[in-house]
Amino acid sequence: MKQNLLEKMRKGERLAFGQQLLLIFQLSIPAIMAQISSIVMQYIDASMVGQLGAKDSASIGLVSSSTWLMGGLCSAASIGFTVQIAQRIGAGEEKRARNIVRQGLLAVLVFSLMLCLLGAGLSGVLPRWLGGGADICKNASRYFFVYALSLPAIQMNNAAGGMLQCSGNMRLPSVLHIFMCILDVIFNSVLIFPSRKLSLFGAEFFCPGAGLGVTGAALGTALAEVFVASLMLYFLLVKSPMLHLRKGEKTGFKREDLRKAVKIAVPVGFEQVVMCGAQIMSTKIVAPLGTVAIAANSFSVTAESLCYMPGYGIGTAATTLIGQSIGAGRKDMTRRLGWLATCLGMAVMAGTGVLLYAFAPFMIGILSPDEAIRALGTKVLRIEAFAEPMYAASIVASGVFRGAGDTLIPSCMNFFSMWAVRIPLGAFLAPRFGLEGVWVAMCLELCVRGILFLFRLAGKRWYQGAEGKRKGA
């Protein structure tokens, strides 16, 4: 049914309102599951390391914004090619889409190798730059070093999964990401803790362990990424009906494709630098508040992530839908699908905001046994719950704009909201109200950002310049 609806849209057939909504649901649910699984991996790392103590938790929290920056740059590099693939599939140009796949994989692999070298080189000094104390800098450096070495696997996982998704195959990347969570649990159990006896349903068994602590958490996640990246590439290049490698088709590096990839990816990369740079600045604002505040801030960000991952899943689906509708020349549907997806995301995240407020003590309690961290984390999560609907507006609308290749203006809006609202306000409130003041600033900034994106969505410029083969309505 899902593929039939996509095909009907590409062929220029009319889709009723119910069919449009159904298509968004069908593409969104697997994408949501994939997004949630990535956050579950962070939960796994955080909760397992949390058992070691507040200092070990803080060491990961100190560099978490920097790992998001590196991962975000990998994602930005991929989006320059995945959007083009969606548009070429929508236009019925599958051979050209396959060539973009090959170009894209080679280009982003080179990019990730450069990031890997940069991250590994900075790992020794980064925690000190971020204001970490001597008691957590050593473990933070080790964690970031291992993460940096895993960036090529993260890049391939991201790129191959995105290319499968933009072809309309949302289910397989979702399943593989869930499998990655299972692997993460297994690897972390062995690598973080020393050998020990565990009790399960009344039965005791011996669990071998390396006892590597924080470093083991990074290694476990890296191994899971490598394993699943290999599977993702296999299903893309061998099994994908539209995008698998074919004999006789050689990789041709087309200047037009590379130029457009750069045009799309650079603003997204700038956006990631802006967003994660602001997160790093937030970390510097939080660092003087003490180890408990650093750990509570890190755990609360991880806990809140479960609430906004549905928005990112719907945004991913929107990128595919908008990209294919524009490629097919269906600008008659582009605007409606954009608003449908955004309103759906706002409704879903309004619900998750209610759940966040109600279950904040439980969510933070999973991640840390420390009572001080739990109490502070609960307070800031309940502040953030009020921003979830408007946060959804910015997340999903961003996915809509990316599908149209419109990335520059949204990146500028993100820059304004983060650096003109969140950072100055957070710096002002932190000395007066502690971590709660930082999260009040975050809540207000997310509301401002959502309003900006809704204004952009209400206009026409975001899709009028997009390329596409015009078909009948």
Side-chain angles (χ1 to χ4, degrees), residues 289-319:
L289 302 178
T291 299
V292 171
I294 294 173
N297 184 66
S298 175
F299 285 143
S300 298
V301 169
T302 301
E304 189 217 355
S305 300
L306 279 177
C307 294
Y308 61 68
M309 282 303 105
Y312 277 107
I314 297 171
T316 300
T319 299

Side-chain angles (χ1 to χ4, degrees), residues 20 45 71 81 126 135 150 168-169 222 241 296 300 343 368 391 397 447 460 472:
Q20 295 175 38
D45 282 0
F81 294 98
L126 180 65
D135 55 340
S150 70
N169 185 352
S300 298
C343 290
S368 175
Y391 192 15
C447 292
K460 298 180 179 180

Side-chain angles (χ1 to χ4, degrees), residues 37-320:
S37 69
S38 68
I39 293 303
V40 169
M41 286 183 68
Q42 294 182 34
Y43 255 85
I44 292 166
D45 282 0
S47 61
M48 287 185 168
V49 174
Q51 297 177 39
L52 302 176
K55 289 183 180 179
D56 291 301
S57 300
S59 66
I60 293 180
L62 184 66
V63 296
S64 60
S65 298
S66 303
T67 61
W68 295 337
L69 173 58
M70 292 292 195
L73 290 175
C74 289
S75 176
S78 299
I79 202 73
F81 294 98
T82 56
V83 168
Q84 291 188 80
I85 293 167
Q87 292 182 355
R88 297 283 69 81
I89 290 173
E93 301 173 3
E94 293 183 11
K95 182 177 180 180
R96 185 171 176 185
R98 289 191 292 272
N99 190 52
I100 295 173
V101 167
R102 297 190 294 272
Q103 293 179 75
L105 290 177
L106 291 172
V108 299
L109 177 59
V110 171
F111 177 75
S112 66
L113 289 171
M114 292 189 295
L115 274 186
C116 171
L117 294 175
L118 176 64
L122 292 176
S123 61
V125 297
L126 180 65
R128 293 197 297 273
W129 288 354
L130 296 174
D135 55 340
I136 64 174
C137 279
K138 185 176 180 179
N139 277 337
S141 292
R142 289 176 175 175
Y143 185 90
F144 189 77
F145 178 75
V146 175
Y147 177 84
L149 294 182
S150 70
L151 281 170
I154 293 171
Q155 178 74 84
M156 290 296 98
N157 200 343
N158 187 298
M163 290 170 180
L164 286 168
Q165 288 173 334
C166 73
S167 72
N169 185 352
M170 296 288 187
R171 183 175 300 174
L172 179 62
S174 174
V175 171
L176 290 179
H177 277 101
I178 292 170
F179 179 54
M180 186 162 62
C181 290
I182 297 171
L183 291 177
D184 195 33
V185 171
I186 296 171
F187 293 145
N188 279 2
S189 297
V190 174
L191 295 171
I192 293 176
F193 305 105
S195 299
R196 63 209 183 279
K197 287 185 178 180
L198 297 177
S199 179
L200 184 64
F201 302 116
E204 285 194 352
F205 63 94
F206 176 78
C207 180
L212 297 177
V214 170
T215 306
L219 282 171
T221 302
L223 289 173
E225 289 277 5
V226 169
F227 196 92
V228 172
S230 302
L231 291 175
M232 204 78 77
L233 287 168
Y234 170 77
F235 283 107
L236 172 67
L237 299 177
V238 178
K239 293 295 185 180
S240 173
M242 292 183 182
L243 301 177
H244 76 267
L245 296 177
R246 286 163 168 78
K247 290 183 179 180
E249 289 187 1
K250 297 181 180 180
T251 302
F253 284 91
K254 295 183 178 295
R255 182 176 299 180
E256 178 187 353
D257 295 337
L258 296 175
R259 179 190 58 78
K260 189 172 181 181
V262 171
K263 183 180 178 181
I264 294 171
V266 167
V268 178
F270 170 73
E271 177 183 326
Q272 293 297 327
V273 171
V274 165
M275 303 295 282
C276 294
Q279 291 288 353
I280 292 171
M281 185 60 68
S282 294
T283 301
K284 288 183 71 68
I285 293 172
V286 171
L289 302 178
T291 299
V292 171
I294 294 173
N297 184 66
S298 175
F299 285 143
S300 298
V301 169
T302 301
E304 189 217 355
S305 300
L306 279 177
C307 294
Y308 61 68
M309 282 303 105
Y312 277 107
I314 297 171
T316 300
T319 299
T320 297

